[in-house]
């Protein structure tokens, strides 16, 4: 997982409420055995409209998505987070998120920022013409117009995102302690390493 200290640049002023994971990535994309290319299916139904924001040259490569209440509701498919990442989105700002989506996003290195609706409205306005900056370390969203919106984040999630630690990375960071324990267990509990004895 890539470390994430900040997200800065254009933000897609999407703003829709109750966007479920089937809208983020339709079910027929779940048959894939790789994460690569899922960005092509992200918001597929909405992208049938030639004037959609996701294919607009103005927002090409935008790392931030601004959404409405209850973003990521619906099924628990992790493909939704994979599709956003493949689309280039590393942060989503919304008034609220589905708990499962928020967890999947975090585990894949996407920052979910919860801000009140008034802040979302202001950021939607700014995003139409100017960049937005998210500083994870200082937990603040800013614009070049002196807007400053602080946000809360779980300390453990913040640490993992800043250091680029997913579940595998967290385990590997404890490699020395795990090896020490296994060596000690081998010496003090030798029967555990000899397998099961049958009669």
């Amino acid at each position: 997982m890539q470390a994430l200290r900040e997200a800065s640049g254009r933000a897609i002023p999407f703003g829709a409420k109750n966007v479920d994971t089937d809208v983020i990535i339709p079910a027929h994309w779940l048959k894939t055995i790789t994460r690569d290319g899922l960005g092509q299916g992200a918001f597929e139904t909405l992208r049938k409209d030639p004037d959609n924001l996701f294919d607009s040259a103005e927002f090409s490569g935008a790392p931030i998505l601004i959404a409405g209440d209850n973003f990521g509701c619906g099924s628990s498919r992790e493909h939704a987070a994979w599709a956003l990442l493949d689309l280039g989105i590393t942060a989503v700002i919304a008034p609220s998120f589905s708990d499962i989506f928020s967890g999947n996003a975090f585990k894949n290195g996407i920052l979910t920022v919860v801000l009140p609706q008034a802040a979302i409205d202001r950021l939607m306005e700014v995003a139409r013409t100017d960049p937005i900056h998210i500083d994870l370390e200082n937990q603040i969203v800013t614009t070049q117009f002196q807007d400053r919106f602080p946000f809360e984040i779980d300390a453990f999630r913040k640490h993992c995102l800043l250091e680029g630690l997913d579940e595998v990375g967290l385990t590997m960071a404890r490699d020395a302690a795990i090896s020490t324990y296994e060596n000690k267990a081998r010496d003090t509990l030798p029967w555990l390493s000899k397998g099961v004895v049958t009669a």
Side-chain angles (χ1 to χ4, degrees):
M1 185 167 93
Q2 293 289 325
L4 178 65
R5 306 196 81 76
E6 62 181 18
S8 193
R10 296 303 300 274
I12 301 170
F14 182 42
K17 298 180 180 181
N18 300 311
V19 173
D20 66 31
T21 51
D22 195 52
V23 172
I24 299 170
I25 185 75
H28 66 89
W29 284 88
L30 307 188
K31 299 172 189 171
T32 182
I33 57 171
T34 177
R35 300 178 187 195
D36 296 332
L38 284 177
Q40 296 172 33
F43 303 101
E44 182 180 66
T45 304
L46 302 176
R47 290 165 80 180
K48 290 178 181 175
D49 178 351
D51 295 324
N52 77 84
L53 293 170
F54 301 99
D55 292 319
S56 165
E58 187 177 3
F59 298 107
S60 177
I64 303 167
L65 176 69
I66 304 173
D69 270 321
N70 200 26
F71 185 80
C73 57
S75 77
S76 61
R77 64 188 71 165
E78 192 171 11
H79 294 67
W82 298 346
L84 290 176
L85 274 178
D86 199 53
L87 195 60
I89 293 169
T90 56
V92 182
I93 306 172
S96 65
F97 294 90
S98 155
D99 287 342
I100 293 174
F101 171 82
S102 184
N104 285 338
F106 155 66
K107 289 177 183 179
N108 286 280
I110 298 174
L111 172 62
T112 54
V113 175
V114 175
L115 289 176
Q117 188 62 53
I120 297 295
D121 293 342
R122 172 59 181 158
L123 291 172
M124 288 279 291
E125 180 185 343
V126 171
R128 290 186 180 94
T129 54
D130 293 280
I132 288 170
H133 181 76
I134 303 172
D135 178 346
L136 174 56
E137 192 156 14
N138 295 300
Q139 297 177 214
I140 194 158
V141 179
T142 58
T143 75
Q144 62 188 15
F145 304 106
Q146 307 307 311
D147 298 296
R148 297 175 62 80
F149 303 112
F151 62 90
E152 296 297 320
I153 184 171
D154 174 80
F156 174 72
R157 287 188 174 190
K158 178 179 178 178
H159 168 73
C160 290
L161 289 168
L162 287 171
E163 300 300 323
L165 295 172
D166 58 12
E167 290 167 335
V168 173
L170 285 166
T171 303
M172 295 304 293
R174 304 286 297 163
D175 182 54
I178 292 168
S179 295
T180 298
Y181 172 82
E182 288 178 340
N183 290 334
K184 184 178 179 182
R186 210 174 358 262
D187 294 339
T188 57
L189 308 168
W191 60 88
L192 291 179
S193 61
K194 292 186 178 180
V196 177
V197 178
T198 58

